[in-house]
Amino acid sequence: MVIDSIQTLYTDQLDSAPGSVSQLRECAAQLVRHAKTSNTAVVLVGHVTKEGAIAGPRVLEHMVDTVLYFEHDAGSRYRIVRRGQEPFSAR
């Protein structure tokens, strides 16, 4: 399952706006639970700012198994995939 973009998801269980810390945390948690109980691979796509930081709260980095970045040089038609630093979650 591919979710593009996690920042736009929301759950009616919370009153906060899509993209808020609580919405991101709860939506990601629900998707992680679904992935584990159904043995489904889930890819969460998030936006990155021009500075290269994950747009919005960084809470997602600590809820997933890995973070991947697409990068490219100005003027290049190729992109590379870079793995982010390991999240600090207990599994």
Side-chain angles (χ1 to χ4, degrees), residues 11-31:
T11 177
D12 291 336
Q13 296 174 350
L14 301 173
D15 291 331
S16 55
S20 67
V21 174
S22 56
Q23 283 285 351
L24 280 173
R25 183 181 293 125
E26 181 58 29
C27 289
Q30 288 181 21
L31 289 166

Side-chain angles (χ1 to χ4, degrees), residues 20-91:
S20 67
V21 174
S22 56
Q23 283 285 351
L24 280 173
R25 183 181 293 125
E26 181 58 29
C27 289
Q30 288 181 21
L31 289 166
V32 168
R33 282 192 298 272
H34 173 74
K36 289 181 178 184
T37 59
S38 66
N39 201 27
T40 302
V42 176
V43 176
L44 301 177
V45 178
H47 298 283
V48 176
T49 65
K50 290 181 182 182
E51 293 79 28
I54 293 178
R58 297 179 63 100
V59 67
L60 289 177
E61 290 180 317
H62 302 287
M63 298 180 74
V64 298
D65 292 325
T66 192
V67 176
L68 301 175
Y69 295 91
F70 284 102
E71 296 181 344
H72 73 287
D73 292 323
S76 174
R77 64 182 198 170
Y78 299 106
R79 294 182 184 225
I80 60 170
V81 177
R82 181 177 63 85
R83 180 181 57 91
Q85 293 185 356
E86 294 297 319
F88 298 105
S89 62
R91 288 199 171 71

